[in-house]
Amino acid sequence: MTDLDLLIAGGTVVTPTGRRRLHVGVRDGAVVHLGPEAPSAARTVDAGGLLVLPGGVDTHVHLMDPGSPEREDFPTGTSAAAASGVTTIIEHSHGTPVRTVADLRDKTAYLRDRSNVDFGLAAHAWPGGSGEVAPLWAAGVSFFKVFTCTTHGVPGHDAARLHQHLTASAQAGAVSLLHCEDESLTEAAETLLRATGRSDGSVLPDWRSREAELVAAAVAGLLVRRTGARATVAHVSHPEVADYLMRERSRGAALHAEGCPQYFLLREEEALEQGALRKFTPPARARTDEDEAEMWRLLRAGVLTHMSSDHAPSTLEQKRAGDIWNVHFGLPGLDSTMSLLLDAAARGFLSYEDVVRVYSEVPARIYGLWPRKGALAVGADADILLVDPGDPRTLRSTDVLSKAGWTPFDGRQIRGRVVQTFLRGTLVAESGRPLDERTGRFVARAVGATG
Ligand SMILES: [Zn+2]
């Protein structure tokens, strides 16, 4: 074997099925050696005492670039990603949706030299626009984002329009990410709540109710099964939704259920005190420690299939610029999601193998990026994290690299730190500091991938 560019020596390599002390050899950006021997390399990194994980794959990210750079842009958002241990994102922004192949080409060209991690791009499904599904899918979009309710200015799909989109998607072999809240229920609730004159955070759980999410998820799950399409239900907020989706899966639906940390770690009641800083939808539902433990159990069991951040940042000023009805939905999350998963492993709610499964392998598989992404294996891209699993620290808003500049997890004491992040064998972040090399590349979905 000719010399390696990089050897990561003596660490404990974690895969979804186990962990072993192995040396990892990298050449030309790819993993070419994984074994007990240590071949010579131009550069050797001592990973003794550290875990070696594949880079995180966060498939639900909004970086508002182009569109609303005052909220986030690709350089800042992907700095946060690299520093936190995420080496691949799939991005879509509601303000500047990709609706045609020309939009995809323009956005890909615009983002050249703007990303610190590798990225795929998703398209937006538009009611009545199912004719765009096949060409966009052939052009390499990672998935289609579909709303069941009009949100962030994107029109919702009723059952008929959703059926039309999923039928076209099944024919094309395309995968969709479904935002599930029933429009008639959220609208009726809003009318009632506004009539009472309420405009504080306490409206959130009533406005964006559990029933609204359940009804939309049940309809979506049924239509996914009946059309034979493939889809993920986005940001599943509570166990009853996950349970409904599991039932459709057991009947043959090709359905995935996405979790996000805010549904495991933030409480419903926080909306009362925090108002717009807890305005995301669906909102947090957990009320007790048992509710949180149940979400982790569902994730361990694969009922919730994978994790994402749903990174949708606004600055504190932007969050305070209006009342609860008109400030932006969304939370920053790219800075914290990997940290919170590593902490869940340190606390025993997950194994490190689970972390690799839910935040690397499964999302990469669903969206056609595996095994190039989401795997630490010979032939995969050398997207690698060195993790100190025991290191105690406190999450701080002042450390946030996203333009949001804050985190809902400020003050939370956690264990586990990503010490180094490698993207295709190049160091892109160290000890929470991104190197901002802008070496991230567009990664099209693998042709013919079916997840
Ligand atoms: Zn989202």
Side-chain angles (χ1 to χ4, degrees), residues 292-367:
E292 292 190 2
E294 177 63 5
M295 292 295 278
W296 291 117
R297 193 192 68 73
L298 293 171
L299 184 61
R300 276 198 309 279
V303 176
L304 293 166
T305 50
H306 63 291
M307 292 293 283
S308 73
S309 62
D310 191 9
H311 181 77
S314 298
T315 65
L316 288 175
E317 288 87 56
Q318 289 155 358
K319 278 288 196 184
R320 287 170 181 151
D323 70 13
I324 199 70
W325 297 107
N326 47 43
V327 294
H328 297 301
F329 283 109
L331 293 177
L334 263 176
D335 287 88
S336 51
T337 298
M338 179 64 86
S339 297
L340 294 166
L341 291 173
L342 293 172
D343 180 58
R347 292 190 293 139
F349 286 104
L350 296 177
S351 64
Y352 292 101
E353 288 83 349
D354 288 329
V355 175
V356 171
R357 177 173 56 83
V358 302
Y359 202 42
S360 295
E361 178 170 330
V362 171
R365 277 181 184 269
I366 295 170
Y367 301 110

Side-chain angles (χ1 to χ4, degrees), residues 14-358:
V14 183
T15 69
T17 53
R19 56 187 97 163
R20 272 178 75 192
R21 275 202 67 190
L22 294 170
H23 302 296
V24 183
V26 175
R27 195 189 311 122
D28 297 331
V31 175
V32 294
H33 170 83
L34 202 57
E37 330 77 49
S40 62
R43 180 170 173 231
T44 297
V45 174
D46 177 8
L50 301 177
L51 301 178
V52 184
L53 274 59
V57 177
D58 195 318
T59 55
H60 190 161
V61 170
H62 310 286
L63 298 186
M64 327 293 182
D65 186 16
S68 305
E70 68 285 358
R71 290 178 66 186
E72 189 74 288
D73 61 27
F74 249 78
T76 52
T78 58
S79 287
S84 76
V86 170
T87 49
T88 304
I89 59 168
I90 298 176
E91 198 276 342
H92 68 288
S93 289
H94 309 309
T96 46
V98 169
R99 293 177 55 184
T100 64
V101 171
D103 293 342
L104 178 69
R105 298 231 164 94
D106 289 350
K107 185 163 178 176
T108 309
Y110 167 75
L111 291 175
R112 195 170 298 135
D113 307 324
R114 285 185 74 72
S115 188
N116 297 303
V117 298
D118 284 354
F119 62 97
L121 295 173
H124 279 72
W126 226 256
S130 61
E132 298 294 338
V133 169
L136 275 164
W137 186 248
V141 295
S142 295
F143 61 77
F144 290 87
K145 179 63 171 285
V146 183
F147 283 94
T148 59
C149 51
T150 298
T151 318
H152 320 292
V154 180
H157 290 63
D158 59 16
R161 297 294 178 74
L162 182 59
H163 186 260
Q164 200 175 37
H165 168 77
L166 291 172
T167 301
S169 300
Q171 271 162 14
V175 63
S176 296
L177 178 66
L178 311 175
H179 178 121
C180 291
E181 291 181 290
D182 181 79
E183 178 112 302
S184 65
L185 287 169
T186 55
E187 242 180 40
E190 180 173 345
T191 304
L192 263 175
L193 289 162
R194 280 186 185 271
T196 66
R198 282 163 64 189
S199 60
D200 63 288
S202 69
V203 302
L204 286 168
D206 297 330
W207 176 21
R208 321 300 302 198
S209 67
R210 289 161 191 249
E211 291 72 24
E213 185 182 0
L214 269 170
V215 167
V219 170
L222 184 148
L223 291 178
V224 166
R225 173 166 55 84
R226 300 284 297 191
T227 58
R230 296 186 295 133
T232 298
V233 170
H235 37 55
V236 170
S237 75
H238 66 115
E240 213 179 338
V241 177
D243 183 56
Y244 257 90
L245 300 177
M246 196 65 204
R247 280 192 234 174
E248 289 296 355
R249 279 163 72 193
S250 67
R251 293 171 186 156
L255 262 180
H256 287 88
E258 176 191 78
C260 308
Q262 47 271 36
Y263 305 110
F264 294 66
L265 296 166
L266 299 180
R267 295 288 171 93
E268 186 178 57
E269 70 202 19
E270 290 175 39
L272 273 176
E273 225 173 77
Q274 302 278 343
L277 299 185
R278 295 296 180 273
K279 186 186 177 190
F280 51 95
T281 198
R285 312 282 195 199
R287 292 171 180 159
T288 64
D289 290 349
E290 290 70 41
D291 289 348
E292 292 190 2
E294 177 63 5
M295 292 295 278
W296 291 117
R297 193 192 68 73
L298 293 171
L299 184 61
R300 276 198 309 279
V303 176
L304 293 166
T305 50
H306 63 291
M307 292 293 283
S308 73
S309 62
D310 191 9
H311 181 77
S314 298
T315 65
L316 288 175
E317 288 87 56
Q318 289 155 358
K319 278 288 196 184
R320 287 170 181 151
D323 70 13
I324 199 70
W325 297 107
N326 47 43
V327 294
H328 297 301
F329 283 109
L331 293 177
L334 263 176
D335 287 88
S336 51
T337 298
M338 179 64 86
S339 297
L340 294 166
L341 291 173
L342 293 172
D343 180 58
R347 292 190 293 139
F349 286 104
L350 296 177
S351 64
Y352 292 101
E353 288 83 349
D354 288 329
V355 175
V356 171
R357 177 173 56 83
V358 302

Side-chain angles (χ1 to χ4, degrees), residues 8 10-14 45-56 83-86 338-339 341-343 345-346 352 355-356 376 384-391 393 415-422 431:
I8 295 172
T12 300
V13 171
V14 183
V45 174
D46 177 8
L50 301 177
L51 301 178
V52 184
L53 274 59
S84 76
V86 170
M338 179 64 86
S339 297
L341 291 173
L342 293 172
D343 180 58
Y352 292 101
V355 175
V356 171
L376 185 37
I384 298 170
L385 312 181
L386 305 189
V387 171
D388 181 347
D391 195 17
R393 63 197 178 100
R415 268 183 295 157
R417 178 193 298 275
V418 175
V419 180
Q420 290 187 324
T421 306
F422 293 90
S431 301

